[in-house]
Amino acid sequence: MAGAVIVEGDFDAVPEIARAQERTLVLGQVVFDHLGTVEDFATLFPETATRFLSVNGQRMPTIGCVRARCSAGVCCTPVTRTPSSLDSKATALHAIAYDGIALPRVDRQETMVMAPGQRADVLVQASAPGAYVLAGLPYDSGYPSPTGPMARVVVEGAPQR
């Protein structure tokens, strides 16, 4: 079982953030054995077990944003670190808080590494309406991490100024 805890307050007075459409994304890894059976965390599984990445419990969901800027509260529930990117040539990731603690300034990033149980508040700014891919990137945890597309983000409408 996985979920997100939403804490509001710190950024409610910032107009650009208050106007942004919010999306909550819970990144996870689903572990399964050689028979294709999904394992639960009560089962002892090796770190090298096959995994796939999920967003809000789904494999490759489509997430819609109405304007070319939206915010995402991202929580991570995998058992390993998961670096991710969102078509960095066409979008910008702006971290504004980690684990509910506001950053002193906006931190623009090409990619983000999310640790198990970590939370990040991120403003996502697309350069234009269109479809973008949120992808898991390789990470050396001593064994191969799952990689590849996690979700399709569709941005519609005129950019918010």
Side-chain angles (χ1 to χ4, degrees), residues 51-65:
R51 306 157 197 270
F52 70 79
L53 298 168
S54 67
V55 176
N56 296 345
Q58 299 176 24
R59 191 169 193 179
M60 199 57 185
T62 297
I63 301 163
C65 288

Side-chain angles (χ1 to χ4, degrees), residues 57-145:
Q58 299 176 24
R59 191 169 193 179
M60 199 57 185
T62 297
I63 301 163
C65 288
V66 176
R67 298 202 174 161
R69 179 178 293 165
C70 65
S71 65
V74 181
C75 297
C76 193
T77 60
V79 292
T80 60
R81 294 180 182 273
T82 303
S84 58
S85 72
L86 183 62
D87 286 343
S88 61
K89 293 180 183 115
T91 60
L93 302 174
H94 301 279
I96 58 174
Y98 289 112
D99 295 326
I101 301 169
L103 297 173
R105 64 186 179 295
V106 174
D107 183 14
R108 186 174 197 272
Q109 300 180 9
E110 297 293 319
T111 62
M112 297 185 74
V113 177
M114 298 295 295
Q118 184 178 3
R119 178 181 150 212
D121 292 295
V122 180
L123 292 175
V124 179
Q125 183 178 16
S127 60
Y132 302 91
V133 175
L134 175 66
L137 304 174
Y139 186 80
D140 184 4
S141 296
Y143 51 89
S145 62

Side-chain angles (χ1 to χ4, degrees), residues 16-39:
E16 293 83 0
I17 295 173
R19 285 194 311 259
Q21 182 181 17
E22 287 187 59
R23 295 286 186 240
T24 300
L25 308 179
V26 178
L27 308 181
Q29 292 181 22
V30 178
V31 181
F32 53 98
D33 64 18
H34 68 285
L35 299 174
T37 303
V38 173
E39 299 287 347

